[in-house]
Structure formats: C-alpha cells, structure tokens
Amino acid sequence: MSGLWPLVWRAVGARPLRSALTSIAVALGIAVVLGVQITINGLDTQAAAAQQLRAGASGLDVRVDAGAGITPAQVLRLGGIQGVAQAAPLYEKRVAAAPAGSGLQGLTVTLVGLQDGTAGLRPVHVVAGRLPHPGSINEVAIDQALSQALATKRGTAIHIGDRIQMITASGPDQFVVVGTTAGTSAGPAFTRSAVFADNAAMLGTFRLGLRTPLVALRLFPSFNAADVAAQVHARLGSQVTTYDPTGGGLAPLADLRALLALVTMLSVVIGAGVTANSVALAVLERRRDIGLLRAAGASATQVFRMFAAEAALVCAFAVPVGVGVGVALGYFLGSQYSPPDLPFGGVSVSAWQVIAAIAAGVGAALLGGMVPAFAAARVPILDALRLHPQQGRQRVNTALLSPAVLCLVGATLCFISSASGLVALGVALFLLGVVLTLPVLMPLIGALVARAVSRFSPGAANAAAGLVRSRNRTSLTAAGLAVTVATAVAVGTLTASALSASDAWVSHLFVGDMVLSSPVTQRDTVMTAVRHDPDVISATPLRFFSEPVAGAVLGITTLEPTVYAGQGGLDVVTPDRSQALNSLENSPSFVVPQQLASASGWQVGTQLPVQTAKGTVYFTVTGIVSHSFPGGDGSETLVMANDLARTYFGAAASGFDDLVVTTDGATGNVQATAASYGMQGVQVDSISGAARDALQHSVGLLVALAVIAVGIAMLALVNTLVVNVRQRTRELALLRAVGMDRRQAFRLVVSESGLLALTTVLLGVGVGCVIALPMMRASSTATFTPVFVFPASVAVALVLTVVVSTLLAVLGPARRAANASVLDALRHE
Amino acid sequence: MLVAESLRKSFHVSRPARQVLRGISLTVGHGEFVAVMGASGSGKSTLLHVLGGLERPDSGSVRIQGVDIYSLADGARSAFRRDHIGFVFQFFNLLPALTAAENVALPLRLRNESWLRPRSRRVAQSVIMERVTTLMDQLNLRGLQGHGPDEISGGEQQRIAIARALAAAPSLLLADEPTGNLDWNSGQEVLSMLARLCRAQAQTAVLVTHDAQVAAYADRVLVIRDGEIIDEIEMGRRDDPGKRPDHARLAARLAKLEL
C-alpha cells in the first residue's frame, strides 16, 4: 500500500468537506449506537437500583389480597421454608384518625406496621423527625401529605409532637406524631398515604380487624426467588401469589425499544450509505486516475485497496469523535429520560460497548465503502481513460423493477397482518421497494413538484428535466434521506396519534375544569364545604378502592352516573352513554373498561359475582368504555354508582378521594379552599398537558434519534449535490458560451438542488404516512387505539430544514460554478 | 521482442459491427522504434491498446518476450503490464494528487507493493529516488520534482509521462499520439528526447500517430488503413542514430499511398 498511500492521503485531504461530512456521518452512527446503549443501560441500572431500594431486604413477597390476608400460622410456615432467613409480615389496617381532642369524626387512613423501622422489610423514607421506637405503642409517623388533611382547623397542619387520635380495640386512643414520611416510599403493599406504627401497637391495641396482605421473605444469599416461590406454592397452595420485588419491574422505555433499535440501525445503515456515496463520488471523480493506474500496472486489487483505504481512513477519523459524541449523547439522553425522582447515575461505559459501537458504525461504513471500491476495481481501463466520458440521459434499470414490485407486494401482504413482527418486516420491505422504484418515482414527483412551485421558481421545469436526465444518481442521492424522513414522519404520526388518544382519554374522565385530589379519603362534609365555595359551580366526587370481583381483586371507581351521563363523561363503546350510565343507578352494576372486558370475555349483560358487605352479590355489566380511571397499580378500574357502592361496600366506599369541580374561572380561590383541607387542585388541562408531556418525553428519544438519522442522510445529500455542481461546471460553461448569464446559471444549479431536496422530503413525508398506518395498527391495544393524525409540525419542520440546509450547502459551489471563467471551464473539467 | 499475429477486433456499437482490426500481424525487434501511422479511425489506437494488453482482441495473439499476454489472467496481465510495458498517452494523464517525482516513481512503487513480489526483490526507496532523478535529468526536468501537474507546462507534463513510462525499465514502450496535445515546438522537443532515450537505452517502442512529422522519428513506419497494414517504410535511422528524420522521404511515400 506504500505506493498508493500518498494518493489515499491526498485524496482525503483534497476533498476536506466531503471527508469531513463522511466522517461526521460515520461518527454519528457510532455515537447513536453507543449513546443508545449507554442510555438504556443507565436507565436499566437505575431502574434496577430503584427496584432494589423499593424491595429493601425482601427477596420474595407473598401476598393474599382477599379477607384478612395471610394467617399467623401461614407466616410461621413461610418462615420454615428452606432458604428463608426471615418472614416479615406486613400488618395493615384502615382506621379513623383525627387530631387529638378535635371532636371530629376523623378520616379513614391506612395504618401500616413497622418492624425494626421497616415495613415488610422495606425502608420507610423519613422526611422529618423519626420513626416510632421499636416496641412503642403510642408513637406514630405520618405521611407528609396527611399532615394537612388531618388538620384541626383549615390551614393548620399536624406537626411533629402533636397528638392524633385513632380508634383502637379499647376506643379512641391518642398517639404522638414523632415524624413525617414521604408518600409512597414503602413499595407495593401500600400505595396511598399512610400512618406508621410499630408492630407492638399493631398487634396490641390495633389487633382487631388487622390484615396481613403481605409477608416479605428475606432469603439466604445462595437461594433464588423462583426456587423459594415454588416451595411457597407447594406449602400454601395457589391462594397466595408470589412476587419477586427485585425483578419483574418494567424496563424503562420498554415499549419503545424495538423502535429504538430500528432507528439506531437506520442511523448506522445511513452512515454506511454516506460512506458508500462518498467513495462512489470519489470513484466518479477519479475515473481517469483509475484508468491510468491500471494502465501503469496497478492490479484491480490495488485499486480496490486504494479506495477501501480511503474509506478506512475517513472511518478512522470518525472513531474518536463518534465515541466522544456517543458518551455525551448517552449522558444527555440518560439524564433526560431518567425518572425525575431518581438521580441519574452518570455514564457507565464498558470497553465492549465502545467496541460494539465502533464495530457497528465502522463495520457498516466499511462495507458500504467496499461496494463502490469494488466497482472501481472493475472499471474498464480504456473507458476510465476517456477525457470526457459519455453522460447521456440515464435509463431506468429495469432489472430493479421486478424486485421492487416483489418488495411492495410482500409489504402489502405483511401489512394485512397486525402482528408487530410482520408489520416491521412489511415496513422494511416497503421502504426497500420505494428505494428501488425511486428512478421511476423521483422524476414523476419532481415534475409534479416543479409544476406546483413554477410560479415562484421559473427554473423549476428545467430543474425537473435535470432530475430525469440523471435519474439514477438522483435516486441514489435521495434514497437515504427519503427513508429517514419517512421514519421521522412515521414516528411523528405515531406520537401525534398517541397524544390525540391521550387527550381524548383525559377529557372523558373528568367532567369539569379542575380536579381536587386528596392524599386521604375525605369526608362528605368537605365536599359540601367545597360546593359552597362561591367560585365552584358544581362538584362531583370520585372514590377509589379495591374489592374481590369475579375471583380477583379489582380496582373500583365510584362516581355520580347522572352527572357523567349529562356532561359527556366516559367514552362509552357499547351501548349508548345514557343507557350505560343511567343503568348504574338502578341495580348493582359496573361499567367496565374495554381492555378488562376483552381479557375477561365480559360483555354487556354479563353477571359478575362480587364479595360485598351483604354477601355475594351478582353485579351486571351495563356498559363498556374505551378507558376508565387508572387504579393504584396502573390498571383500569371498574366504574359504579357511588350511592350503590355505599350500600354494598359500606365504609370502604364512603367519602371521596378526588373531586371533579367546574369553576367559574377563578381557580385560585378554589385551590386555596382545597389546600385548606390538604387537597391539591389541578386543572384538567394540566393533567392533559402532563399526560402529553410524559408521552412526548418518552417518544422524544425516538424523535431525537430519527432527526439524527435525517441529519446523517443530509450529509450524503450535501456531498452529492456539491459534487454534482462541481461536475457541471463544464456544462454551465458551455451554456454560458451560448448566451446564458451568470445569474441564470446560478439559478439553474440552485433550483435543481432545491427541487431534489423538496421532492425527496415530500416523498419521505408521503411514505412516512403510509408506513405509519400499519405501525399504528400494530401498536394498537385494547387500551391504546390511536387514530391517524398527520404530524403537520414535524412535516413542516422537516421540509423547511432539509430544503433550507440544502440551499445553504449548494450556494457556495453554485456561485463558484456560475462565476467560473468560461474558457478555463472548457479547458479543464 | 513483440510478435502480434492475425489480430482482429470489432466494436458492436452499431449494426453491422465495426471491424477495427482486420487480421494485423507485426513484429518489432528488441530496441526498435516503430511508428504506426494512419488517419483518424484507421484502427491505430486500438492496435496500440491491443498490443499493450488493455483491449482483448477478438482473435489473434500478442507475444511480448515470448509471453502470450492474453493467455494470462487479468491479475497476471496487470502485473505483466506493470513489469514490462510503459504507456504514454496523448492527454498526459498525470495523477493530479501526486508531484512530478511521485508520478514518475509510481510504477516502481506499484511494483514494490505487489503481494506477489518477494520482499527481497523489492526496490529500495533510495534506488527509486535515484532512478527518478536520473530520468528527470535525462528528460530535462530537473527542479520540477516537487511540482504538481497543474504547475507545469504541457510539454513538461508529457516528458514526466515519458519518464514515468520508462521508470520501471519496461521491455516495451507504447505511445499514443504523444505530441497530439502539444504545440509544434514542445512536440518536437518531446519527440527528440523520446527518440534519443530509446536509442540510448535500446528501448523497444511503438508509437502511433497521424502526423508524418512525428512518424519520421521512427526506425520503421507501419501505415495502417481500415484496420490493415498497407505499407511498411524503413526510415534508415537504426544504423545511423545521428541521422535527422527524413520528413521529405516519408511524405513522398505517404503521398503515393494517398494518405
């Protein structure tokens, strides 16, 4: 290679812009692979650490939701299982609490037992003060959200050292508040705000009606949760459920990982395409060099190695940049997408991750570069030596049309299915089919676009003719950009559709403009007080609780059916809204969410056995809604009338948790009223906005990567356009020699470049919308049924960015080509 | 040295196919300087390409130093071309990315880096540079070593191309209209240097041209028309290296041929 190294080195140096753009493309490919790896790994590690923190010392949870839960005898048997170091029961009880001496009836709160400062082996996060001492029977710690809700009078919170009274086995007893804790810090056993007392008090004064919904098992290090779980089921049967609290948590961005992989792969492939394009341009520019080298005795292998070495050299420059940008990207994305309540652990990069990213980015780029290098080695010597190779009108390569048609037919067949794997294959086939038909499509679309813009750009028709003349190179140039724009638009469409579905969900759940949310179940008197606020027009309560329904413990939401029927609440799928909601008032019945109905095989009229205070009662399904209120575990709840809920479930269904309020617009006063009862007022628009933000936050990563892929493809476009302009210098000189002025020559070049960019991006937008449809169907679930929404802002941003960037990139070369001396241009190439 | 037998070549760019070489046979002895002369389209450039292993004939054979070059595989033919044949083209064809000296050294460096060449037979860098310097001195190119092709005149570029063609001491030098892109004075200067060098080094050379003034520098002139050699003219310079080109004699002979 020593003989050709100067050629390699100087060829790279002679085209610094192209070399730099290609290096950047490869570097971005490496960076995306590395950045996504770092982000996913960082978020996984963070999620695992958070999960471990929530699990505390528990290696396995054993749960019984119904009745009194796990019996003391069962706790003893659990403690005797091989591998179990400790069986820690979690005691829980619902009790009425009120400030000491207030004379108030009190609020119903969840009381949770502590053993050695932990609840079910989980640490409890203390915000201020301390937890009750072990063995203490008259100390409690309360959740900070409760301090306001339990206030003696409006506006005065419970402080450390104050006393509260709770109903015990011996009547109302007083307890000293020794600390405040953070909301839901203790894991899955209790998700709403709680009062913490030591187990000595739980098993003493609170022993009546005590439940043991969970026993946390601390395992010896050599035993795993699955083996112990098998023994638990062998001893206690199937009425208990086991759960590994350290695993099984949702992986961050789990739903998006397939798309993330797709977009990441796309970035690498487009990076390879940029390298292929760059080497192909080098081969095109240096055909005569190739001929001369071959005539001077260079073998085909030597020519191949020379161009391959150029690609390798450019890739080598990209490696350090790619790794650096990848680490920065990983840190940025990781910190952006980590949960707001957990600190991002920083960047952790393994050597293998870096090697994998380099191998993917550089490997793909080298493979891309090999193809034109191989073609260079096969250039006929005498053709290469011609001073001015014939550059006639390019013809459509008909050999490509058959596979293109096959790809498109295959894609159509895949799109008939809604299986995500087949749809993904269909999308890939469709994109490949479109790329293969670009030599036919690009001139047609270019002509249409030229006709549309001819009023503003008189040279557009000539520019369109240029696209036809060089249709193959035009297609090669456009392919990467069209595919990446299509992907970005498809992602944008999915996002817009999901946002629309989210908006519809929220707007149907809350029939008012504000939701007053309480950390604890509030008394009806508080609702009456809120309703008397002069700025409140109407208020309707929501209450959330869980009961055994049809053999499983399900979340239930109670509401006022007439209010929801009258104000258009809940998106009833079947039958009509008024019939479904009004029926709730007449007899024990539920409206059920579509997902649950589908999963359980329930239909309108299905009878569901429910354990109530009056024994087993059969509730009728009177309607199915697309979505209902989310329960504590995130799954959607059953909906029933609040007055019937009190009839059948008694105290468990009394009071309210949220109040949906319609105000006269003066929301500040209403919020102040809510705050005085420890409630927080949130506007429905804010809830909708928060849901949108959460969705956009997640999907934003995909959009960001898609934009990077578009950026990489833009580099190829700019590379090619600059070479096109340079190569047209002689043709422009000929045109100028026969009368074209500099301005016209400049306009011609800029129009062609602009038209190519506009045609490509519009094609990409169209293709993106087409592939979005099957992708939406594949991503549709019982709870998520997106409806197509055109991502106008994404499309406009892409069109403007691509066209403006392209025009800016070719302005300089176009000006130079138009201003070149006619004689010089005709003398040289 | 060079034996071509019954060379035929057709190009199928139109119907009927155009026959460019119609059974040409020729022999060029060691150290002989032969010109192939003919009008545009007579087939002289195609003949040169066939002789140089760049264009496979439809039939016939080309033997250089006893080797039938078209019996060799493409890689081996490239290697043979590199080791035994030097080309000079009308349009100089210098590599713009290399300096004058690097262009001249290119064949030696290509030879050095061949995988097939044993390390022991590779030429040292110092030897390459010495050879380059010698050739450039002989072609009156001293001081231009570091210049790029775009910094020197057409005549100088063509002399660099000749130096490059001779750098690897080829058995056969093939020149295609070497003065076709030069003014008269530069052309004469290049030709006289080429002829002098060939004679001094007993370099076998075949030159194609349509110009009788150029052909007159050769020892022997082959006249080609419609793909056939129609005449062979001895210029009598082989036995008398100092003899000036006899343009008048050649012109008179060509006039008889109505060329």
Side-chain angles (χ1 to χ4, degrees), chain A residues 1 10 288 292 305 382, chain B residues 55 78 93 97 102 113 115:
Chain A
M1 200 63 213
R10 285 170 209 175
R288 288 182 65 207
L292 180 63
R305 277 159 53 197
L382 293 175
Chain B
E55 184 97 62
S78 288
N93 279 333
E102 286 169 339
E113 74 148 43
W115 290 354

Side-chain angles (χ1 to χ4, degrees), chain A residues 696-758:
Chain A
Q696 281 176 325
H697 188 68
S698 302
V699 184
L701 180 58
L702 267 181
V703 176
L705 293 180
V707 167
I708 291 177
V710 172
I712 297 173
M714 277 296 297
L715 299 176
L717 182 75
V718 170
N719 253 345
T720 310
L721 289 178
V722 170
V723 170
N724 281 355
V725 173
R726 196 180 291 135
Q727 287 196 327
R728 291 194 61 190
T729 302
R730 188 167 187 277
E731 182 188 334
L732 289 175
L734 282 170
L735 291 170
R736 285 185 56 208
V738 296
M740 180 181 269
D741 64 29
R742 291 176 197 273
R743 200 181 182 84
Q744 286 172 312
F746 176 77
R747 274 191 194 155
L748 178 66
V749 174
V750 172
S751 298
E752 268 194 28
S753 303
L755 184 68
L756 175 59
L758 185 60

Side-chain angles (χ1 to χ4, degrees), chain B residues 154-170:
Chain B
E156 288 167 335
Q157 286 190 52
Q158 192 61 305
R159 277 183 277 148
I160 290 168
I162 292 170
R164 185 179 62 193
L166 294 173

